Amino acid sequence: MDGVPDRGRSTSSSSRTPNHSPRIGPSRLSSSRIRPSQSSSSCLWLWCRRKRTKVLFALIALFALFFFVNYIMLLRLPHQQDRPHRNRKPTLRSSLSLPLQGKWNKNSTSKKTQKGTYARLLALAAHALAENKREPKDLWQEPLVPASSWTPCSEQRNWEPNEGSNGYIMVTANGGINQQRVAVCNAVVVARLLNSTLVVPKFMYSSVWRDTSQFRDIYQEEHFINYLAPDIRIVRDLPKKLQSLDLEAISSVITDVDMGKEAKPSFYLKHVLPIILKNQVVHFIGFGNRLAFDPIPFELQRLRCRCNFHALQFVPRIQETGALLLKRLRGHAGLIGPLDQHFIGPFGELNMETSEKNSKKASKYLALHLRFEIDMVAHSLCEFGGGEEERKELEAYREIHFPALALMIKATKLPSPSELRSEGLCPLTPEESILMLAALGFNRKTNLFVAGSNLYGGGSRLAALTSLYPKLVTKENLLSSAELEPFANYSSQLAALDFIGCAASDAFAMTDSGSQLSSLVSGYRIYYGGGRMPTIRPNKRRLASIFMKNSSIEWRIFEQRMRKAVRQTKHVQTRPKARSVYRYPRCKECMCRTI
């Protein structure tokens, strides 16, 4: 600022030096009294000093007014979050710091908060899709050469049939259809390991899934028994002489609490085999992921792949409805996809016969599995913008369905929701999933099939998806109520239809890599896809860091970072040690490498 005079400089007459500015202020060498000859110069100095002082106060007042107005505008911003404004600055409410949202807007409803979290990015995505840009070349492709060098070969056998003479193994599997599938394959391997006869597995009724379906309601029992006959002996029921035994009384019942997760084969030989030899039967209750992937003998690992990819086939009524679903997803073109024969059997040919052959080109479709049901949301311990109402609802759900988890929350200091989110441990919301697809370059005309449409928060959560992708459909849209009626109240059988729709799609996008359905579907696409069935596997930790910038990031930068994050997961890799052969079948036990 120039308002303060420089008292270290002498005063001179301005009239004699017109080409130089007067030096205002007395010199250190001048007298304290002003001479008469200097009166005019002194007056000028006093006038300038007063003038500069006024200017200084005016500038200070102007800056104070500016900061005051800016403060008032910042206070108003949270209340304007949902109003469209192209150049709006980021606000607290638009951030992912969800615990703060209730503090700043206590009267907002959960729906408003969910929309407000990504309202800006969704608007930018809509604008980008409206431009109808050309899709990236590799969007519907897998790295063909390295991917196609792997071919299925788990059907090959290099051992003699097992007589199952040591006794009988009964299994009651828990969870949904995908957890049950894993349990069945593990039970087959354990039966071979212990030279025991397997009784056709039973499925436990779950308070979460509420499905009474048994093995024969979902899978072809006859095919299962006959296909695995060269490997193990399978019977439908326990012999009558053993049915009358009180298995719990003779210590022949083993629960999932009695054994660790992914137990090694040595555990079964040491602890389970003696029980079978003594009592002739053992019953695994709640049997799930209770067999390690490594270390395990080569042929046993191959048997596990053989069971999953070859022995388990859906019953005809699921196949027939699945064929109808695929026919409508592809636009009635009668196309038979690479995986059709493994999921819909002879009904794929029936589609071809009854469709308008070559009448129009088949439509490509993208399948998206939204693992955002209430059980997943509650178990994640994350927050999704619903405030206190959401927290109370999820706490009540955990108390009923996940009591051990609810107890742990009270007794243990667990990571906060924001910490879980930053580590990529929260499921992607429908809004985040659709923003990912838009950023990757899928255009507005994309045929999008959404599996797992029973979303937490209701069907209204699909609104963000349908606004960007109007060709979005679910099995409930494509199949009539009469066609779905046989599967009503059977969540596992409905999930089988989603499984077929996802596995047979031209491209598949998962939102949670830990989901059993996504893992099994991606494994099937690798095993039977021939290198032509791409799967999008987002790294949720990388995505979380991108979404954290949702209130300020430019769409162009959002696209670049999202594409880079997803491309890094789109590579061909062999199965990592101790990882699932169901998800990573590229290993010598399951697939053979031709190059």
Side-chain angles (χ1 to χ4, degrees):
M1 302 298 291
D2 297 326
V4 180
D6 185 357
R7 297 185 182 275
R9 295 178 182 176
S10 61
T11 306
S12 62
S13 175
S14 62
S15 60
R16 293 181 182 178
T17 56
N19 296 327
H20 300 279
S21 300
R23 296 188 182 185
I24 301 174
S27 170
R28 289 179 297 173
L29 302 176
S30 64
S31 172
S32 60
R33 294 180 62 185
I34 301 177
R35 299 173 184 177
S37 62
Q38 295 176 326
S39 61
S40 62
S41 177
S42 177
C43 290
L44 177 62
W45 176 79
L46 290 172
W47 179 86
C48 290
R49 184 177 180 181
R50 293 192 190 97
K51 189 71 174 178
R52 292 192 177 190
T53 302
K54 290 180 180 179
V55 171
L56 175 63
F57 280 116
L59 288 173
I60 292 173
L62 183 61
F63 276 111
L65 179 63
F66 171 78
F67 285 115
F68 178 74
V69 172
N70 193 39
Y71 174 73
I72 295 299
M73 292 179 67
L74 285 173
L75 288 179
R76 289 171 55 84
L77 277 176
H79 302 287
Q80 296 174 342
Q81 177 68 20
D82 293 328
R83 299 177 187 175
H85 195 296
R86 187 172 184 179
N87 297 318
R88 179 173 52 204
K89 294 182 180 295
T91 68
L92 283 171
R93 187 181 170 193
S94 65
S95 71
L96 280 177
S97 184
L98 298 177
L100 292 177
Q101 291 181 358
K103 176 181 176 181
W104 288 97
N105 193 5
K106 294 181 180 179
N107 296 324
S108 63
T109 64
S110 60
K111 288 185 179 179
K112 287 184 178 179
T113 309
Q114 291 161 0
K115 283 185 177 180
T117 303
Y118 293 110
R120 175 182 170 274
L121 271 181
L122 289 169
L124 293 175
H127 179 74
L129 291 176
E131 295 178 1
N132 198 26
K133 296 178 183 177
R134 181 175 296 180
E135 293 179 339
K137 292 182 179 180
D138 63 343
L139 197 57
W140 297 86
Q141 297 174 0
E142 201 175 357
L144 180 60
V145 174
S148 60
S149 65
W150 292 87
T151 59
C153 61
S154 67
E155 73 278 8
Q156 299 176 7
R157 295 176 172 89
N158 191 28
W159 58 17
E160 295 298 321
N162 187 305
E163 297 178 357
S165 56
N166 282 343
Y168 293 84
I169 290 178
M170 299 174 61
V171 171
T172 302
N174 61 359
I177 182 175
N178 304 295
Q179 290 82 1
Q180 292 166 351
R181 188 184 191 101
V182 170
V184 169
C185 295
N186 289 342
V188 167
V189 175
V190 170
R192 174 75 195 202
L193 173 69
L194 303 181
N195 189 22
S196 301
T197 297
L198 178 67
V199 180
V200 172
K202 296 185 182 301
F203 296 154
M204 183 183 295
Y205 178 83
S206 167
S207 61
V208 175
W209 301 104
R210 299 179 181 178
D211 189 351
T212 58
S213 298
Q214 289 302 317
F215 187 94
R216 64 176 60 90
D217 300 316
I218 301 173
Y219 302 109
Q220 296 180 34
E221 193 174 80
E222 192 72 25
H223 173 79
F224 176 71
I225 294 172
N226 293 336
Y227 187 84
L228 293 176
D231 302 302
I232 63 170
R233 179 171 175 253
I234 305 175
V235 296
R236 289 182 172 83
D237 298 296
L238 197 66
K240 290 185 178 180
K241 65 179 182 179
L242 297 177
Q243 290 179 11
S244 59
L245 293 176
D246 186 340
L247 299 185
E248 190 169 359
I250 63 175
S251 300
S252 278
V253 173
I254 301 176
T255 68
D256 55 354
V257 178
D258 299 323
M259 55 191 308
K261 182 180 179 182
E262 297 188 1
K264 296 179 181 179
S266 57
F267 173 89
Y268 291 92
L269 292 170
K270 182 179 180 180
H271 298 284
V272 180
L273 182 58
I275 298 175
I276 297 179
L277 294 175
K278 178 183 177 182
N279 301 327
Q280 286 297 295
V281 61
V282 68
H283 187 186
F284 291 104
I285 297 180
F287 190 74
N289 196 14
R290 289 295 183 269
L291 179 63
F293 289 103
D294 287 305
I296 192 170
F298 178 92
E299 288 298 336
L300 289 179
Q301 192 82 288
R302 174 163 284 187
L303 174 60
R304 181 147 52 180
C305 290
R306 185 154 59 244
C307 178
N308 180 52
F309 296 114
H310 296 274
L312 294 175
Q313 292 187 359
F314 293 126
V315 294
R317 68 192 185 105
I318 292 178
Q319 288 184 336
E320 184 176 16
T321 307
L324 191 60
L325 179 67
L326 294 182
K327 180 179 178 182
R328 291 173 183 171
L329 280 168
R330 293 166 179 161
H332 301 269
L335 174 71
I336 297 181
L339 271 67
D340 287 15
Q341 61 176 318
H342 306 288
F343 289 117
I344 59 178
F347 296 99
E349 295 292 337
L350 182 62
N351 269 1
M352 178 68 78
E353 293 172 5
T354 58
S355 66
E356 316 89 76
K357 287 187 179 180
N358 303 320
S359 61
K360 55 182 177 180
K361 187 178 179 181
S363 299
K364 290 192 301 184
Y365 75 94
L366 164 69
L368 171 68
H369 178 223
L370 281 177
R371 186 66 173 96
F372 202 71
E373 294 88 354
I374 188 170
D375 64 304
M376 179 69 170
V377 172
H379 199 274
S380 71
L381 302 182
C382 299
E383 293 184 352
F384 301 93
E388 188 63 24
E389 181 182 351
E390 176 190 282
R391 281 192 287 273
K392 289 181 178 179
E393 182 179 8
L394 297 182
E395 283 175 7
Y397 187 90
R398 283 191 287 265
E399 290 286 347
I400 298 172
H401 300 286
F402 305 123
L405 180 60
L407 185 63
M408 183 188 298
I409 294 172
K410 297 175 182 177
T412 310
K413 183 176 175 57
L414 299 175
S416 67
S418 58
E419 289 173 327
L420 292 171
R421 186 173 294 279
S422 65
E423 290 296 319
L425 298 176
C426 297
L428 292 185
T429 67
E431 294 82 7
E432 289 170 336
S433 303
I434 210 68
L435 284 169
M436 175 186 72
L437 297 180
L440 291 178
F442 287 100
N443 65 39
R444 189 172 168 79
K445 297 179 180 179
T446 300
N447 295 300
L448 180 59
F449 171 69
V450 175
S453 53
N454 187 22
L455 303 178
Y456 173 65
S460 60
R461 293 213 68 145
L462 284 174
L465 284 68
T466 53
S467 63
L468 297 184
Y469 292 96
K471 291 189 175 181
L472 180 149
V473 293
T474 65
K475 61 181 178 296
E476 289 79 11
N477 301 140
L478 292 172
L479 300 172
S480 68
S481 56
E483 291 163 342
L484 285 172
E485 196 276 333
F487 308 100
N489 302 318
Y490 298 107
S491 59
S492 293
Q493 297 179 44
L494 288 170
L497 297 177
D498 278 335
F499 194 106
I500 292 172
C502 288
S505 63
D506 296 279
F508 171 63
M510 63 174 71
T511 59
D512 179 35
S513 57
S515 163
Q516 285 281 16
L517 184 143
S518 292
S519 296
L520 291 171
V521 164
S522 63
Y524 259 91
R525 294 171 65 81
I526 290 172
Y527 191 80
Y528 285 119
R532 298 179 184 275
M533 306 196 77
T535 295
I536 298 168
R537 305 174 182 85
N539 181 326
K540 290 193 295 178
R541 186 173 182 178
R542 293 286 305 276
L543 263 60
S545 66
I546 300 174
F547 283 122
M548 288 287 285
K549 306 285 194 303
N550 75 86
S551 61
S552 58
I553 192 170
E554 295 181 13
W555 181 255
R556 179 177 57 84
I557 303 300
F558 181 77
E559 279 184 326
Q560 291 174 356
R561 294 189 62 188
M562 189 65 68
R563 292 180 185 184
K564 182 178 179 181
V566 172
R567 279 198 184 105
Q568 289 178 345
T569 66
K570 196 175 181 180
H571 56 272
V572 176
Q573 67 174 38
T574 57
R575 181 180 72 90
K577 186 177 181 180
R579 300 299 295 274
S580 168
V581 294
Y582 310 120
R583 182 179 178 185
Y584 300 102
R586 289 191 184 104
C587 58
K588 59 183 180 180
E589 296 91 344
C590 297
M591 302 183 74
C592 297
R593 198 164 188 173
T594 58
I595 297 178

